[in-house]
Structures are given as structure tokens and as C-alpha cells.
Amino acid sequence: MNDHNLLVAKIVVIVVLLVVTLIFCFLPYILNRWFKWTQREKSNAREFLAVLCLLNFGGGVLIATTFIHILPAVVGVVSALQKCEMLATTPFALPEMLMCTGFFLMYAIEEVMYFIVGRRQKRKQKAMQEALQVAMEQVTEPEEKVDLELGEQVEPEQPNWLRGLGIIVALSLHELFGGMSIGLEETVDTVWFMCAAIAVHKLVLAFCIGMEIMMAHTRWLIAVIYLIVFSIVTPIGVGIGIAITENTSANHPSIPAGILQGIACGTLLYVVYFEIVAKNHAGWRIFLCSLGGFLLMFGLQIAVVEAAGKSAYVCPSAKS
């Protein structure tokens, strides 16, 4: 009977997390119908004070998520793996090295995409210049020639979907393992506690991610795919956790979990500092928004740790 109630609780958690996360992901698009954030000029949209405050609040949330939530989890997993001799002891800080790997991996991906898109835009510009040259040869009036020559060379822009891709990849990996932590719980009470803790954390992220993707003017279809992917990864993680509980203990450290979360941490770090946090001096209100997002997630992290207590990893070989 207890096993049945536990399974029902986990299935309800899957449905609740999916529905509520989808609502919060698309909430910025609903609010945009009234506030008209995206109808401003693209160059000025992100300078709108309310949008800047929300985006930098999200930046503070993600900074706290990176350094206070994900990175300590990676340190714990890697330390347990090395203690269990599942990973070799290294003369350098392995968790931080994994984070740097994710950082430079995202940097390389962005540069590759910038190069590809830049070449495509240059080919288009070359074709337009050739057409312009033909048109100028057919024009006899000097004034019309001057107008035709005003077409400037435009610097290739960063693809507007890349910012969202970095955020989704980084956070989806982390949220997948967060969902697994719910699926691996062994009592109904702890399932609901972990659901509440992860939901509060994820819903704040969901709104901020939806806002960032919307203000990046990402195509609607791509935005929908990104937000649906982010919404379903935690329920998928819960399902994986339910399957794992059949033959594996929740306290066993996992090599894929440690490596993937470490890389995700670095990827998220790159996205936060290069894409979300304001690059220029934006004033005290923007600073306080970032600090407020950071302190919110810091307080949630303290509450979760105090309520859940510390969990110790057990080496698989300990089973006998």
C-alpha cells in the first residue's frame, strides 16, 4: 500500500511540475500582450527599465544557482566518486575544471555559430552588392546613385536563438538530475518536500528564462521548443528516478551526474556573465534587482538544506 501511495505521489508530481512550469515559462508572453515589451525597437527593448530589472533579477537567480546550488552539488558528487575510487584523484580541483570546461565549450559553440552565420550573411551581402552595382550602372541621375550607395556593410549579428540554447542546455541538465532526486525518494513526505523545494526554484527560473528568450526576439517555434524542453526535463528526471529505485540506491554517486552537472555549471556561468547581466553601468535599481534575485535563491537554498538535512553518498561496493 505504501509503495502504491509513493508511486501515485510521484506521478502527481510529474503532472503538477509539467503544467505549472509551462505556465510560468509562457507567462512573460502573456504579460507582453499588455505591456508591449517586444514592440519597441530591438535596440531599445532591453533598455526598458522594467525589462532590464526582470532580466537582471533572473541573472542574480542564475548566479546563485550556479555558485550556491549546482557547483557545491558537483563538488559533493566528485568527492564521493574519488573517495569510492570510481574517479582517480587529480592534482587539480576537478569540479572547478569541469566548470571551466563547460564555460569554454559554450564559448567555442558560440564562436562557431557566429562564424557560420557571419559567412552566410557575407554571401548575402556580396549578392546584394552585385545587384546594387548592376542597378547603379542602369541609373543616370546622380541623386539616385547616392541613395543606392547608402547600403552599409552590416556586422554579422549573433543568432538570437543561441542565448536561449545555452540557458536551456545548462539548466535542463541540472533540472533533469533535480527530477531524479524526487524520483529516488523513498517516502511520500520527502517526495512532496523535494517537489516543493524544486518547484519554487524552477518556477522562478522558468519565468526568467521565458523573459530572456522573449526579449531575445527568438522565433516563436524555436521559443516554444526551448520552453517545452525545459518544462519536461524535470518530469523526465522523476520518471528516471522511479525506474532507478527498482535496483539502485539513491545514495550512490554517479559519474555521468558529476561530469554533466559540472559542464552545465560552466555553461550557465558563461550565459549569465556574457548574455544576461547588464554589460554597462545600468544604475542602482538594476544592481538591486540582480542582488534581489541572488538573495532569493540564497534564502531558498538555506531553507532547503536546513529542512532536508545533509545526505551522505554511499559507495556501491558497500553493499554486501
Side-chain angles (χ1 to χ4, degrees):
M1 184 65 180
N2 288 336
D3 289 342
H4 174 73
N5 291 338
L6 181 61
L7 180 61
V8 170
K10 291 179 180 179
I11 292 174
V12 172
V13 164
I14 289 174
V15 176
V16 169
L17 283 177
L18 176 61
V19 173
V20 178
T21 305
L22 280 171
I23 292 173
F24 272 75
C25 279
F26 288 98
L27 185 58
Y29 288 90
I30 298 173
L31 295 177
N32 187 54
R33 287 177 171 269
W34 285 274
F35 294 104
K36 312 293 183 185
W37 291 322
T38 55
Q39 291 185 12
R40 294 170 171 262
E41 291 182 13
K42 188 172 180 180
S43 58
N44 295 329
R46 289 169 64 86
E47 296 173 7
F48 183 40
L49 181 61
V51 175
L52 265 181
C53 287
L54 287 171
L55 292 177
N56 283 274
F57 178 85
V61 167
L62 296 179
I63 290 172
T65 301
T66 300
F67 289 106
I68 298 177
H69 190 66
I70 303 181
L71 184 57
V74 176
V75 171
V77 172
V78 170
S79 298
L81 289 168
Q82 291 177 332
K83 183 179 179 181
C84 296
E85 299 182 351
M86 298 171 67
L87 274 180
T89 303
T90 58
F92 54 86
L94 184 56
E96 288 77 5
M97 186 61 194
L98 289 171
M99 182 177 69
C100 292
T101 301
F103 181 93
F104 285 104
L105 178 64
M106 187 61 199
Y107 195 168
I109 291 173
E110 182 164 337
E111 288 300 320
V112 168
M113 296 309 304
Y114 184 86
F115 175 74
I116 293 173
V117 174
R119 287 187 61 183
R120 183 185 303 173
Q121 289 185 353
K122 286 179 180 177
R123 285 197 296 267
K124 289 182 179 179
Q125 288 176 358
K126 186 177 179 180
M128 289 176 62
Q129 288 174 353
E130 291 174 353
L132 181 64
Q133 187 66 32
V134 172
M136 289 179 64
E137 291 174 356
Q138 297 174 352
V139 171
T140 57
E141 294 295 329
E143 293 81 4
E144 295 181 13
K145 283 192 175 184
V146 171
D147 291 338
L148 288 171
E149 288 172 350
L150 290 178
E152 296 181 353
Q153 281 260 339
V154 180
E155 183 71 17
E157 294 183 357
Q158 178 192 29
N160 57 11
W161 50 266
L162 193 57
R163 180 186 298 113
L165 178 63
I167 297 173
I168 296 301
V169 169
L171 286 178
S172 292
L173 285 173
H174 175 63
E175 296 298 333
L176 180 68
F177 294 115
M180 287 176 62
S181 68
I182 298 177
L184 292 169
E185 294 297 335
E186 298 178 352
T187 66
V188 174
D189 291 339
T190 54
V191 165
W192 286 115
F193 170 78
M194 287 301 298
C195 174
I198 289 176
V200 172
H201 170 82
K202 184 170 184 176
L203 295 182
V204 174
L205 290 177
F207 181 84
C208 295
I209 288 170
M211 174 64 71
E212 175 62 22
I213 290 176
M214 181 185 72
M215 295 312 303
H217 294 268
T218 306
R219 290 182 185 177
W220 172 245
L221 179 60
I222 296 176
V224 169
I225 293 173
Y226 283 168
L227 297 178
I228 289 177
V229 168
F230 179 73
S231 299
I232 65 174
V233 286
T234 301
I236 289 174
V238 176
I240 294 173
I242 293 172
I244 290 175
T245 50
E246 298 297 325
N247 50 23
T248 305
S249 171
N251 291 329
H252 290 173
S254 167
I255 293 177
I259 293 175
L260 291 176
Q261 286 212 68
I263 293 175
C265 185
T267 304
L268 190 57
L269 182 66
Y270 180 89
V271 172
V272 168
Y273 282 110
F274 283 84
E275 302 295 347
I276 296 180
V277 177
K279 299 178 178 65
N280 301 317
H281 297 289
W284 282 102
R285 280 182 286 190
I286 303 303
F287 166 77
L288 291 175
C289 288
S290 297
L291 182 62
F294 178 86
L295 292 177
L296 172 65
M297 298 312 295
F298 179 63
L300 289 174
Q301 180 69 14
I302 292 175
V304 169
V305 171
E306 288 293 328
K310 292 185 177 179
S311 59
Y313 286 109
V314 177
C315 299
S317 59
K319 289 197 305 181
S320 57

